[in-house]
Amino acid sequence: QVQLAESGGGLVQAGGSLRLSCAASGRSFSINVMGWYRQAPGKQRELVASITGGRTNYADSVKGRFAISRDNAKNTWYLQMNTLKPEDTAVYYCKAELLDYSDLNRYLEVWGQGTLVTVSS
């Protein structure tokens, strides 16, 4: 099975920056889509950013402030968050869409456990 490990969450003041990391590990797999989601208390989980095939996609609320990047060789991706706002406060989850060669070549969605980002005003 493939697992995702997240890091980089914490407390930051409004206007500050933070970088989240997500690393996938497992026996044998390939990742098609790498993404970041977030969920604030009482709200639905929403897509923040994703990257696949050299293309990136961002939620309107973070365009121009956040940037997703990846290191395919390390099966790792990042979310650089700049000009953070209090409304960015949420638990952030990384997600991978992948083909798991050790599990009958199944195409799976795998989620990280989440990392809390708190932006103070």
Side-chain angles (χ1 to χ4, degrees):
Q1 60 181 355
V2 180
Q3 295 181 326
L4 307 185
E6 301 182 34
S7 63
L11 175 64
V12 64
Q13 290 185 319
S17 298
L18 210 59
R19 190 179 78 154
L20 307 182
S21 299
C22 185
S25 61
R27 291 184 62 190
S28 182
F29 60 93
S30 62
I31 303 175
N32 183 43
V33 184
M34 301 171 176
W36 289 97
Y37 292 72
R38 68 185 181 187
Q39 187 167 23
K43 297 183 179 179
Q44 298 283 344
R45 186 174 298 187
E46 64 174 346
L47 174 69
V48 176
S50 65
I51 184 168
T52 182
R55 297 182 181 274
T56 57
N57 183 52
Y58 296 94
D60 288 342
S61 60
V62 307
K63 286 181 178 177
R65 299 190 298 119
F66 291 10
I68 187 171
S69 61
R70 65 186 180 191
D71 185 336
N72 290 332
K74 296 182 178 180
N75 287 318
T76 301
W77 58 106
Y78 310 91
L79 184 66
Q80 179 66 47
M81 303 184 292
N82 299 321
T83 319
L84 282 160
K85 304 175 181 179
E87 50 263 45
D88 294 320
T89 295
V91 177
Y92 284 71
Y93 300 87
C94 58
K95 189 190 80 171
E97 296 179 20
L98 55 87
L99 186 65
D100 189 350
Y101 301 124
S102 68
D103 189 17
L104 304 177
N105 293 347
R106 291 191 176 113
Y107 194 75
L108 305 172
E109 289 187 355
V110 183
W111 290 86
Q113 297 182 48
T115 183
L116 178 63
V117 172
T118 303
V119 184
S120 62
S121 60

